[in-house]
Amino acid sequence: MVDAAVRLVDRGRVFADEGYVVDGAAMGTASNPNPDRERVEFVVWNAVVDHPEGTFLWDTGSHPEAGDGYWPDPLYQAFEHVDAADHDLESDLDAVGYDRSDIDAVVMSHLHLDHAGGLRHFEGTDVPIYVHEEELKFAYYSAKTTEGSIAYLAKDFDRDLNWEVVHRHRHTLAEGVELYHLPGHTPGVLGARIDLPGETVIIAGDECYVDANYADEVPLGPGLLWSERDWFESLQTVKELERRTGGDVLYGHDLARFESFGDGWNL
């Protein structure tokens, strides 16, 4: 074990229909053909891994102008990041005691617009930006053609960035910090296992938006699911990591789960 710590960074709140993240959350039946739909509050977060080999940033959050036309209006109407303007990456890092210049590397769990909106802060620098090969391919395919997913914005990531491409299922970032390929939500989602003194943190990321995806194995809604078969296999990878390590599993957007961990681990 290395003397490392994980610090969580609150990047604001998104409101969206629960049906986007929990398949069948509001399905009609013969006796209740028009069930009430619920808009749920979700968290956007980043993390700082403070490690003897470097200070690593997990994801970069939404662009602060998400609600001012930076995000396409149909996407913002579906996923309303109500306080994006209050959550610029540099100010949020400062709030937890870090400066952008402290960051030695960035790990992108994937390149959707609520995760890649702060990459502009690393443009023209030599800071490595870790991303899975399949994610980088799919992001450009989506953003530059009419195919793929509408949740990628080229202006987030089509920049002068120092890409460090992860090609395989597992990649060691540093001692006790291992990245895992968890396709399903997108082709190239990355999660992580972080071994700290006396405890392990397992980042599932958007493989599991909320607890229902993990505990009840209910898939994401169809609009957020690239491949249900891959999603299920990736879920079993995360659950096996939890069984082997007894680690704490951190989901992609579950507000209650996020708040239960306070500031993070081993601080």
Side-chain angles (χ1 to χ4, degrees):
M1 303 292 178
V2 296
D3 188 16
V6 178
R7 185 72 182 266
L8 297 180
V9 186
D10 191 332
R11 303 301 313 284
R13 302 292 178 268
V14 167
F15 286 84
D17 192 304
E18 187 181 18
Y20 283 116
V21 303
V22 180
D23 191 21
M27 299 290 287
T29 64
S31 60
N32 185 19
N34 299 299
D36 291 335
R37 305 193 68 87
E38 183 178 359
R39 290 184 85 235
V40 178
E41 184 178 7
F42 300 100
V43 65
V44 177
W45 60 269
N46 298 156
V48 177
V49 182
D50 209 331
H51 191 282
E53 296 180 37
T55 302
F56 310 123
L57 176 65
W58 187 273
D59 282 338
T60 68
S62 303
H63 193 285
E65 296 175 4
D68 295 322
Y70 187 89
W71 285 12
D73 188 61
L75 278 173
Y76 192 80
Q77 290 294 320
F79 298 95
E80 186 185 14
H81 194 157
V82 294
D83 55 357
D86 300 325
H87 285 280
D88 180 73
L89 176 61
E90 290 189 321
S91 60
D92 283 354
L93 283 174
D94 181 69
V96 295
Y98 294 91
D99 188 83
R100 192 214 55 81
S101 62
D102 296 329
I103 304 303
D104 297 304
V106 178
V107 180
M108 294 303 304
S109 68
H110 60 304
L111 294 172
H112 275 176
L113 72 178
D114 57 329
H115 295 259
L119 282 172
R120 61 195 174 91
H121 292 287
F122 301 95
E123 185 168 25
T125 75
D126 61 357
V127 175
I129 311 295
Y130 286 83
V131 65
H132 197 275
E133 173 187 10
E134 298 303 324
E135 186 65 16
L136 196 58
K137 290 177 179 177
F138 191 66
Y140 271 95
Y141 173 66
S142 297
K144 297 290 190 175
T145 77
T146 58
E147 305 293 330
S149 166
I150 62 172
Y152 295 99
L153 300 182
K155 55 191 175 182
D156 280 340
F157 55 82
D158 189 16
R159 296 176 175 272
D160 178 18
L161 297 168
N162 181 20
W163 295 113
E164 187 71 34
V165 180
V166 177
H167 294 282
R168 297 176 180 84
H169 176 61
R170 294 166 65 176
H171 178 88
T172 300
L173 180 65
E175 183 181 353
V177 182
E178 190 163 31
L179 307 180
Y180 286 81
H181 183 209
L182 301 173
H185 173 52
T186 75
V189 169
L190 286 174
R193 167 184 169 174
I194 305 171
D195 293 324
L196 304 171
E199 56 193 329
T200 295
V201 179
I202 300 167
I203 300 180
D206 283 11
E207 162 64 21
C208 302
Y209 260 61
V210 294
D211 187 61
N213 304 135
Y214 188 77
D216 301 327
E217 300 191 354
V218 180
L220 302 170
L224 292 180
L225 199 58
W226 170 72
S227 167
E228 185 170 344
R229 179 176 181 178
D230 286 287
W231 174 85
F232 184 78
E233 290 298 320
S234 295
L235 181 65
Q236 303 317 307
T237 296
V238 177
K239 290 198 165 191
E240 177 62 18
L241 283 172
E242 185 192 23
R243 282 192 291 269
R244 283 167 40 201
T245 66
D248 292 326
V249 181
L250 183 58
Y251 309 139
H253 293 280
D254 191 306
L255 178 58
R257 185 74 168 173
F258 175 82
E259 291 179 338
S260 74
F261 294 129
D263 291 331
W265 291 264
N266 201 38
L267 298 177

